[in-house]
Amino acid sequence: MTKLASCLWVTCPIIIGAGPSGLATAACLKKKDIPSLILERADCIASLWKLKTYDRLHLHLPKQFCELPFMSFPANFPTYPTKNQFFDYLESYKNHFGLEPVFNKTVVSAEFDHRYGVWRVVTLGPEQEQIEYVSQWLVVATGENADEVMPFIEGMCDFGGPILHSSFYRNGRSYQGKDVLVVGCGNSGMEVALDLANFNARTSLVVRVEISDN
């Protein structure tokens, strides 16, 4: 049961999401002496990087193209930092700018109140307590890959083996000597397939090809 909501007036911008974009937005505001309130549904910053990525993940672009505003990567980092190095960088970034996200606040709605010219942002906490934050400004920085998308594939219900989304994959150690089908050839699909092959899994890769009439 959801507990009764409390209502908090926020005199600064609300930022939803404590990933790289949310942290960068807060830092840019702070450089102009504008505070912000960062709401994050997880219990840590950059939860996608910390909780939903495979072990071998590195940045896919050179580090100079991935650094956040006003703070470069450490000089001793490789050209393509590991996921742990990137997370450490984000943690240092947060501390350097004194950012203090409010964790375990899942935003369930965000609506603009035209009558009063404010945003009303409602969150749920771990005990289902509900809080409504009211502010004139709202920045949504939840990312495009925050939630996994598991498409329905004919025959899935009859398949006897495990079906795993890449956000739950860590490494191929437990797949050694097994037949594994990877669906998709994006960055994650290609790297997961390579990782499985390195762990001696019998790996196949399915690619959707768009055929043009031209």
Side-chain angles (χ1 to χ4, degrees), residues 7 25 39 51 57 62 99 103 106 117-118 129 145 152 159 208:
C7 185
T25 301
L39 301 175
L51 305 176
L57 179 63
L99 307 178
F103 296 117
T106 300
V118 295
E129 67 275 16
N145 300 314
F152 174 77
F159 181 64
R208 180 177 63 182

Side-chain angles (χ1 to χ4, degrees), residues 68-80:
L68 302 190
F70 311 115
M71 182 173 164
S72 299
F73 282 98
N76 63 334
F77 272 26
T79 302
Y80 298 92

Side-chain angles (χ1 to χ4, degrees), residues 14-73:
I14 295 174
I15 300 172
I16 304 176
S21 294
L23 296 176
T25 301
C28 288
L29 289 171
K30 196 157 191 178
K31 289 287 284 187
K32 296 183 178 294
D33 297 321
I34 302 173
S36 61
L37 172 66
I38 307 174
L39 301 175
E40 168 57 48
R41 66 178 178 179
D43 62 356
C44 62
I45 64 168
S47 60
L48 177 65
W49 283 87
K50 185 174 183 181
L51 305 176
K52 295 186 176 183
T53 50
Y54 40 91
D55 294 344
R56 66 171 293 140
L57 179 63
H58 290 63
L59 292 182
H60 293 138
L61 293 173
K63 61 183 179 181
Q64 63 266 30
F65 298 111
C66 301
E67 62 189 26
L68 302 190
F70 311 115
M71 182 173 164
S72 299
F73 282 98

